[in-house]
Amino acid sequence: MSLVIDSIAKRFASYAALDGVSFHVPQGAFVALLGPSGSGKTTLLRILGGLEFPDSGTVRFADLNWLGVPARDRRAGFVFQHYALFRHMTVAQNIAFGLRVRRWHKRPPRAEINRRVEELLGLVQLDGLGMRYPSQISGGQQQRVALARALAIEPRMLLLDEPFGALDAKVRKELRGWLRSLHERLGITSIFVTHDQEEAFALADLVAVMNKGRIEQYGTPQDVIRAPRTPFVAEFLERAPGAAPLA
Amino acid sequence: MRKPTEDGPIVRGVCVALTIGFVVLFLVMPLLTVFSQALDKGVEAALDALTNPDSLSAIWLTLIVAAIAVPLNLLFGVSAAWAIAKHDFRGKSLLVSLVDLPFSVSPVIAGLIYVLIFGMQGWLGPWLREHDVQIIFALPGLVLATIFVTFPFVARELIPLMTDQGRDEEEAAISLGASGLQTFFRVTLPNIKWGLLYGVLLCNARAMGEFGAVSVVSGHIRGQTNTMPLHVEVLYNDYQFVGAFAVASLLALLAIVTLVLKSLLEWRFADEIAAAHRH
Amino acid sequence: MAAIPSTAFRWREPGVLPGFGLSLGFTVFYLSAIVLIPLAALLIRPWELGWVGFWEAVTAPRVLASLKLSFGGAAIAALVNAVFGLIVAWALVRYRFPFKRLVDALVDLPFALPTAVAGIALSTLYAPNGWLGAPLAAWGLKVAYTPLGVVVALVFIGLPFVVRTLQPVISELGAEAEEAAATLGASRAQTLIRVVFPALAPALLTGTALAFARAVGEYGSVIFIAGNLPMVSEIAPLLIVIKLEQFDYAGAAAIGVVMLAASFLIILALNLVQSLLATRR
């Protein structure tokens, strides 16, 4: 059930967002797409989620032509940068949404849905907050609701767009450790987008450094830090504060 | 000492006095005139004027016209806003400005264009007469003219609102496995419902009160093609002032109810109404 | 090097949200059927008269007089609304006074009140024996059934356009610029004239233009108070109605085309002025 991305290219009106991107994600890996803004990392994530369509290239996932699967049938748990919680639904209704909209013969009974919601609320440590509305909880809590909502559909992969981007530094650190341990527990193939190298190196098994729609280097955090393969990667690692956190 | 950004008491007093004076003179007094003239010969006379068959048929016709025109424009508004706010395509800004076009056309011209097509000497006039289809001087003409003048109300409310709300929630719904219809009814519609109501409210007020456009296509056949505003004109020109103002006060009440509901929506659901941000 | 695939002209960015074809299709169909095709009929119709016939139709003295009244009256009313609309909007945003909420809500009355109702109310109010008409008549000022009556009706329907366009701009103005002016030694009057007014000018212009555009085509609120004397107090939209009643479709369409063209030119000119104002800052 590994994910094979091959020669993905995507042009927008004025520029090439992705310019022949290929890499391979082993099953259960936690991969970071790292790069400056405009490097194409979010576009790639949205293509994997079925929210954008590439001009060329293929994606195979567990022997499926992944690009041929409509977004609603992919079960790719997508966590949006600003969470995209349904503001008129409670936390519990948000989490239950993916189960309630299933075709009737696949839809679990109400009691089962409620049980799953409670279970997920426990998993993301939000017990007792099910009746709140998104506007009534903190940013870190909203982030975990978004994650629980994505997990509710038993996703085949998890796609996280700047998962900590909108949070302050302290909450960010806390959530980071929690997300890593959650990943170890669930073992779902996960890909997240970040522009923060410290975050990428602290969390991911594999890091893909992206620039201008291309992958500059793909490897374990240790490899990337020890042996930057291109001048861009070397420069990018130096530029940001907190470089080489694993040293 | 007053703050440097505050106006002096004289400026302040003059401005407030002018504001209240202007509003009383131009807005309050006409409104009071309507009700006072309607009740000039007593409540009974006013009620009699409202319940005679011609008035009743005018009220009924107004309701029918609005009941057809408003839902159609609602459907259009939602459809246009969905296409414009949730998708990217070329020519979008042209489409947006075309949607607003009917607001810059005189109501009389709005009626005129349909007469030019469907009227006795219109493009399709002879054909329609041969096949015994009546559009002008009949219900379809009234509906068409009303649709034209109320065309942009729902769309111009929804387009900015739905553009502001972005596509994240809809994309999230799809990625969670919702179908297009489920996404619309469970995610989009709840988010725009107050804005939608706001647009429908204004659309309906104009639909029921429109005069110029329907006047051109109506033919003024009493008891048949007179809507309430047209009936007001007929009665007024017949010197039946109590009757004219009685029907007019019914329309004025509709306007007041509309204003109250509108203020209520703007005050209570400011975040969910695009028009409120323009205030 | 992977080649960037060449993308041909693409008029739509593909997205995941469904219903694009259906919603855009219905939108364009409805817009064309209700608005665009009928308006095209208006533009085509007058030419059956030929150039000369068209010219004669729109330059007949009675037509010219009505166009002059419609555009002139609308211009005067728009100016009145610019002045009073500015005062009303300023007072509603900046001051506190009794019944403010009510006044604020009432400003929308001309949007909500059917024009025929406004028409008979204004006409009764300003008639020689009306509440306002009688005292004015005592001063020798006749309003109803004169061009002045036309202006009064047009002021009524135009007011909300100016106020509602200005209000958000005034409330977003913020105190900073005014405070800065004050610390630099400007008097309050200088601050208002040199700092506040220029900031409001584009919105004031827009609101005035909207009021003007609405007033040019206004019919219902005007015809009752105007008296409708040919050459004196007969507005252009009424003349269209009269021509239609005489089955002079081409003549009616000719006036309609001139009205449309003139209002679009004026709005275009105002937009140009406005973009000049905007780039200057």
Side-chain angles (χ1 to χ4, degrees):
Chain A
M1 293 251 284
S2 62
L3 178 68
V4 182
I5 294 156
D6 187 18
S7 318
I8 291 290
K10 165 86 179 167
R11 271 192 77 82
F12 285 117
S14 55
Y15 68 102
L18 291 172
D19 187 5
V21 167
S22 307
F23 63 102
H24 169 255
V25 179
Q27 183 182 1
F30 202 178
V31 173
L33 301 178
L34 172 66
S37 58
S39 59
K41 51 197 195 304
T42 293
T43 305
L44 180 59
L45 198 74
R46 287 172 62 83
I47 286 174
L48 293 176
L51 303 175
E52 306 267 1
F53 306 96
D55 299 327
S56 62
T58 59
V59 177
R60 299 203 69 79
F61 179 68
D63 292 327
L64 277 174
N65 170 16
W66 191 240
L67 296 179
V69 183
R72 67 173 294 213
D73 298 326
R74 280 192 198 191
R75 283 202 282 124
F78 202 104
V79 178
F80 289 77
Q81 184 176 3
H82 301 289
Y83 320 133
L85 295 180
F86 306 125
R87 64 197 104 171
H88 63 281
M89 296 182 198
T90 63
V91 166
Q93 286 168 337
N94 262 284
I95 297 174
F97 182 87
L99 300 173
R100 292 212 174 121
V101 296
R102 281 197 189 160
R103 292 172 184 87
W104 63 271
H105 57 276
K106 286 189 189 161
R107 192 174 347 177
R110 186 182 294 258
E112 167 68 10
I113 293 181
N114 290 342
R115 197 189 59 72
R116 288 273 290 284
V117 169
E118 286 305 318
E119 192 182 298
L120 283 160
L121 279 172
L123 184 71
V124 298
Q125 299 166 2
L126 290 175
D127 301 88
L129 294 187
M131 297 310 287
R132 301 268 189 98
Y133 282 89
S135 58
Q136 299 167 328
I137 58 179
S138 72
Q141 290 170 331
Q142 290 181 23
Q143 159 74 309
R144 280 178 281 155
V145 174
L147 194 62
R149 184 177 69 175
L151 290 172
I153 59 170
E154 293 165 325
R156 293 192 266 201
M157 64 175 73
L158 261 185
L159 304 169
L160 306 110
D161 189 4
E162 295 277 6
F164 312 111
L167 301 174
D168 60 55
K170 183 171 166 288
V171 182
R172 192 183 291 209
K173 282 237 164 85
E174 280 168 21
L175 266 181
R176 196 193 278 173
W178 174 80
L179 184 64
R180 176 73 223 186
S181 62
L182 188 72
H183 175 258
E184 266 150 31
R185 235 185 324 153
L186 301 174
I188 304 172
T189 307
S190 306
I191 301 177
F192 76 102
V193 156
T194 182
H195 62 273
D196 179 346
Q197 48 164 307
E198 188 193 334
E199 197 167 283
F201 294 138
L203 268 174
D205 307 321
L206 290 163
V207 176
V209 185
M210 293 187 69
N211 178 38
K212 291 185 179 154
R214 295 160 174 280
I215 291 193
E216 297 272 340
Q217 187 170 2
Y218 182 50
T220 63
Q222 289 86 345
D223 289 348
V224 175
I225 291 167
R226 250 176 245 144
R229 198 180 301 151
T230 69
F232 172 82
V233 176
E235 205 185 306
F236 188 75
L237 294 189
E238 264 169 37
R239 201 164 39 201
L246 299 184
Chain B
M1 273 304 276
R2 63 168 196 268
K3 283 199 286 182
T5 51
E6 267 172 32
D7 298 317
I10 298 174
V11 175
R12 188 181 281 257
V14 168
C15 269
V16 170
L18 280 175
T19 296
I20 293 182
F22 193 76
V23 166
V24 166
L25 198 66
F26 275 90
L27 303 177
V28 177
M29 291 199 60
L31 200 58
L32 290 181
T33 303
V34 173
F35 294 112
S36 102
Q37 292 288 322
L39 300 175
D40 200 31
K41 301 274 192 302
V43 180
E44 212 125 299
L47 283 178
D48 276 355
L50 275 181
T51 49
N52 83 44
D54 284 351
S55 299
L56 286 178
S57 98
I59 294 171
W60 183 235
L61 184 62
T62 299
L63 292 176
I64 292 177
V65 169
I68 302 172
V70 175
L72 281 173
N73 279 340
L74 170 64
L75 192 65
F76 164 74
V78 170
S79 157
W82 181 262
I84 288 167
K86 305 290 178 184
H87 300 89
D88 292 316
F89 56 94
R90 280 166 206 250
K92 192 194 267 195
S93 53
L94 175 69
L95 187 60
V96 173
S97 41
L98 284 178
V99 167
D100 264 348
L101 188 62
F103 275 166
S104 42
V105 173
S106 166
V108 168
I109 294 179
L112 167 67
I113 56 180
Y114 296 112
V115 176
L116 293 182
I117 294 180
F118 301 115
M120 295 268 263
Q121 292 164 42
W123 283 351
L124 302 178
W127 187 89
L128 289 170
R129 199 156 4 136
E130 239 168 67
H131 294 79
D132 212 20
V133 180
Q134 184 114 32
I135 290 182
I136 298 305
F137 303 155
L139 182 66
L142 295 173
V143 170
L144 276 173
T146 304
I147 288 178
F148 186 98
V149 293
T150 59
F151 188 86
F153 278 107
V154 180
R156 69 173 355 213
E157 172 62 27
L158 290 185
I159 291 170
L161 181 65
M162 284 167 67
T163 307
D164 269 5
Q165 289 179 345
R167 301 167 197 176
D168 276 8
E169 289 186 39
E170 282 82 7
E171 287 180 350
I174 297 278
S175 82
L176 290 168
S179 70
L181 285 179
Q182 283 173 326
T183 303
F184 178 77
F185 282 106
R186 292 180 181 222
V187 175
T188 308
L189 197 57
N191 278 336
I192 60 170
K193 60 176 184 284
W194 297 115
L196 197 87
L197 191 63
Y198 188 90
V200 166
L201 187 72
L202 299 188
C203 184
N204 180 64
R206 181 73 193 267
M208 290 192 169
E210 177 52 27
F211 176 72
V214 290
S215 154
V216 173
V217 296
S218 141
H220 298 92
I221 309 165
R222 261 197 211 205
Q224 284 182 38
T225 61
N226 270 348
T227 60
M228 284 163 76
L230 297 175
H231 193 50
V232 168
E233 181 195 23
V234 170
L235 291 174
Y236 187 84
N237 288 344
D238 276 359
Y239 303 100
Q240 301 181 35
F241 293 126
V242 169
F245 280 101
V247 179
S249 29
L250 208 56
L251 286 167
L253 281 177
L254 170 75
I256 292 171
V257 169
T258 302
L259 283 186
V260 170
L261 289 177
K262 176 174 174 289
S263 302
L264 215 64
L265 281 174
E266 280 167 7
W267 168 68
R268 176 74 181 73
F269 301 105
D271 303 347
E272 298 163 58
I273 294 173
H277 298 302
R278 296 197 291 267
H279 269 214
Chain C
M1 268 225 147
I4 299 166
S6 66
T7 38
F9 175 83
R10 194 160 59 182
W11 71 283
R12 182 202 166 199
E13 288 294 340
V16 70
L17 298 183
F20 175 71
L22 184 67
S23 62
L24 187 70
F26 178 71
T27 300
V28 170
F29 163 76
Y30 192 79
L31 180 71
S32 308
I34 300 286
V35 179
L36 300 181
I37 294 172
L39 276 178
L42 172 71
L43 297 182
I44 294 168
R45 192 65 187 239
W47 306 110
E48 70 189 31
L49 299 169
W51 260 107
V52 179
F54 177 78
W55 187 248
E56 278 171 1
V58 298
T59 53
R62 188 173 168 190
V63 175
L64 276 184
S66 76
L67 286 170
K68 223 157 93 186
L69 178 62
S70 274
F71 281 90
I76 296 171
L79 285 178
V80 172
N81 275 327
V83 174
F84 284 94
L86 181 61
I87 294 171
V88 171
W90 184 262
L92 282 175
V93 176
R94 286 294 176 98
Y95 305 151
R96 291 163 54 119
F97 55 92
F99 303 114
K100 180 171 152 170
R101 274 202 102 111
L102 183 66
V103 169
D104 196 8
L106 268 175
V107 166
D108 277 333
L109 185 70
F111 280 155
L113 194 70
T115 52
V117 177
I120 63 170
L122 288 171
S123 171
T124 307
L125 199 54
Y126 286 93
N129 58 353
W131 291 347
L132 292 172
L136 287 172
W139 287 357
L141 195 62
K142 213 168 160 310
V143 178
Y145 319 127
T146 68
L148 188 57
V150 175
V151 173
V152 167
L154 296 181
V155 169
F156 172 84
I157 55 127
L159 178 72
F161 290 95
V162 179
V163 177
R164 292 304 184 223
T165 315
L166 277 172
Q167 262 176 320
V169 182
I170 296 177
S171 40
E172 275 160 31
L173 210 53
E176 238 174 51
E178 287 168 65
E179 284 170 357
T183 62
L184 294 169
S187 72
R188 183 65 186 152
Q190 283 173 318
T191 307
L192 285 179
I193 293 167
R194 294 182 173 222
V195 177
V196 174
F197 186 77
L200 298 183
L204 183 61
L205 200 63
T206 309
T208 310
L210 288 173
F212 174 79
R214 170 74 201 264
V216 166
E218 179 56 21
Y219 178 69
S221 58
V222 177
I223 54 161
F224 296 98
I225 198 174
N228 307 326
L229 223 61
M231 304 296 295
V232 178
S233 60
E234 186 178 59
I235 54 169
L238 178 64
L239 205 50
I240 293 181
V241 173
I242 291 172
K243 294 224 175 234
L244 272 181
E245 279 166 3
Q246 297 162 347
F247 294 102
D248 180 6
Y249 284 16
I255 303 177
V257 166
V258 170
M259 281 179 63
L260 267 189
S263 358
F264 277 123
L265 281 179
I266 290 168
I267 289 173
L268 201 69
L270 280 165
N271 278 340
L272 277 177
V273 173
Q274 204 175 25
S275 62
L276 280 180
L277 279 177
T279 50
R280 218 185 47 191
R281 290 185 299 149

